[in-house]
Amino acid sequence: MTDEQVRAIYELVKWAPTAMNQQPLRVVLVRSAEARERLLAHLSPGNRTKTRSAPLTAIAVDTEFHEHLPELFPHYPGARDVFADDSARERSARFNGALQVGYLLLGIRAAGLAAGPMGGFDAAGVDREFFPDGRHRALLVVNIGAPAADAWFDRLPRLHHEQVLTTV
Amino acid sequence: MTDEQVRAIYELVKWAPTAMNQQPLRVVLVRSAEARERLLAHLSPGNRTKTRSAPLTAIAVDTEFHEHLPELFPHYPGARDVFADDSARERSARFNGALQVGYLLLGIRAAGLAAGPMGGFDAAGVDREFFPDGRHRALLVVNIGAPAADAWFDRLPRLHHEQVLTTV
């Protein structure tokens, strides 16, 4: 998994929308053996073996996006102040960061690779370990690459459209 | 915007992943004039005119997904109990619901339609108005359809990959 492959995925998924164009998602590529060990310590035991052998592991995080709003949403000069409040900003960053994680997972798969998202980790531990300045919060850990042929589980059932779609 | 078009979008986006296959997203299609008026009252003023004239408006919500886990994640009989706690369930539903909203927005666009997502609404008001049983929480309101030729703003800037991707 080269940096060029990862950049190509970003160049695709960056276009999908976020509220007020806030783009809170940041992606930390865990490449060094030392950083990988530090991450493994905060994963649920069941996620460690596959993460140890993954071609690349990424930590998807959100950040204090409001600093960038004057550039990203220039027609509304008050945008930055809307999110000066920590609680409003963190809530928006988490939701819009999750939207962008969804785009990222589809972008990885659109590139012909597998994305193995893992919610089973100690988010507070990852944040302390990798982001001691308190400005980022881990959303999801994702293994990326071409998995072994025996890596797949059977597909699990999806809800029927009548369970999901209603009309008023 | 027919029900068949909406179902085709769902049949595509339903495959994208959620944690423990929880699939918390539900989509409420606002079709009646009466329901549209009730929704408009809870939107930010700037979102009302375009929503009044949209071919279709949907409210994306999350729900108490844990009831479905015995069917959706059958190899882990304890899955439902993991999310019996309201706080853990709501946090997971909001994050995974947002992932699915991201998939939905891309699915609408993949169908050749425009998706106009709007975060500017009173979520608590929408919940009280449409979901008095307390089991759903509005995540996003989305206009769907073929917009008028003059409906578009210029595209806003996206962050450079060096601002988003880091390596450790």
Side-chain angles (χ1 to χ4, degrees):
Chain A
M1 284 298 306
T2 66
D3 283 349
E4 288 66 30
Q5 286 177 291
V6 177
R7 280 180 204 158
I9 292 165
Y10 174 69
E11 293 299 327
L12 179 64
V13 303
K14 73 179 184 182
W15 298 115
T18 54
M20 294 174 72
N21 198 34
Q22 64 186 245
Q23 304 172 62
L25 183 71
R26 302 293 181 271
V27 180
V28 180
L29 306 174
V30 181
R31 291 203 180 274
S32 72
E34 171 266 341
R36 187 180 296 245
E37 285 304 318
R38 289 198 289 136
L39 176 61
L40 288 172
H42 298 283
L43 298 186
S44 304
N47 286 330
R48 285 180 194 157
T49 301
K50 59 188 173 188
T51 302
R52 186 172 279 119
S53 66
L56 179 63
T57 300
I59 311 173
V61 304
D62 64 23
T63 193
E64 296 183 1
F65 63 85
H66 65 313
E67 306 288 349
H68 296 275
L69 284 177
E71 167 202 353
L72 298 177
F73 207 63
H75 54 287
Y76 178 24
R80 180 178 166 157
D81 295 338
V82 170
F83 295 106
D85 173 69
D86 284 352
S87 162
R89 186 182 64 245
E90 289 177 17
R91 186 176 172 84
S92 188
R94 189 165 178 83
F95 180 77
N96 287 279
L99 287 185
Q100 288 189 286
V101 171
Y103 307 146
L104 178 68
L105 296 175
L106 295 191
I108 293 167
R109 293 176 177 188
L113 298 162
M118 295 176 290
F121 64 94
D122 172 10
V126 169
D127 290 351
R128 280 193 304 270
E129 182 76 39
F130 288 91
F131 316 112
D133 68 0
R135 292 172 55 93
H136 300 75
R137 283 164 303 276
L139 298 173
L140 200 68
V141 179
V142 186
N143 288 328
I144 307 172
D150 63 353
W152 302 99
F153 294 101
D154 288 340
R155 196 166 230 177
L156 289 165
R158 297 306 196 263
L159 293 170
H160 191 271
H161 66 75
E162 292 181 350
Q163 297 173 289
V164 173
L165 305 173
T166 57
T167 299
V168 293
Chain B
M1 286 295 307
T2 66
D3 283 349
E4 288 65 31
Q5 286 176 291
V6 177
R7 280 180 204 159
I9 292 166
Y10 174 71
E11 293 298 328
L12 178 64
V13 304
K14 72 179 184 183
W15 297 114
T18 54
M20 294 175 72
N21 198 35
Q22 64 188 244
Q23 304 171 63
L25 183 71
R26 303 292 182 271
V27 180
V28 179
L29 306 174
V30 181
R31 291 202 180 274
S32 71
E34 172 266 341
R36 188 180 296 245
E37 286 303 319
R38 289 197 289 135
L39 177 60
L40 288 173
H42 297 284
L43 297 186
S44 304
N47 286 331
R48 285 180 195 158
T49 301
K50 59 188 173 188
T51 302
R52 186 172 279 117
S53 66
L56 179 63
T57 300
I59 311 172
V61 304
D62 64 22
T63 193
E64 297 184 1
F65 62 85
H66 65 313
E67 306 287 349
H68 297 274
L69 284 177
E71 168 203 352
L72 298 177
F73 207 63
H75 54 285
Y76 178 24
R80 179 178 166 158
D81 295 338
V82 170
F83 295 105
D85 172 69
D86 285 350
S87 162
R89 186 182 65 245
E90 288 177 18
R91 186 175 172 84
S92 188
R94 189 164 177 85
F95 180 77
N96 287 280
L99 287 185
Q100 288 189 289
V101 171
Y103 308 145
L104 177 68
L105 295 176
L106 295 191
I108 292 167
R109 293 176 177 188
L113 298 162
M118 296 176 290
F121 63 94
D122 172 9
V126 170
D127 291 351
R128 279 193 305 271
E129 182 76 38
F130 288 91
F131 316 113
D133 69 359
R135 293 171 56 92
H136 300 75
R137 283 163 303 277
L139 298 172
L140 201 68
V141 179
V142 185
N143 288 327
I144 307 172
D150 63 354
W152 301 99
F153 293 103
D154 288 339
R155 194 166 231 177
L156 289 165
R158 296 306 195 263
L159 293 171
H160 191 270
H161 65 73
E162 290 181 352
Q163 295 172 288
V164 174
L165 305 173
T166 58
T167 300
V168 294

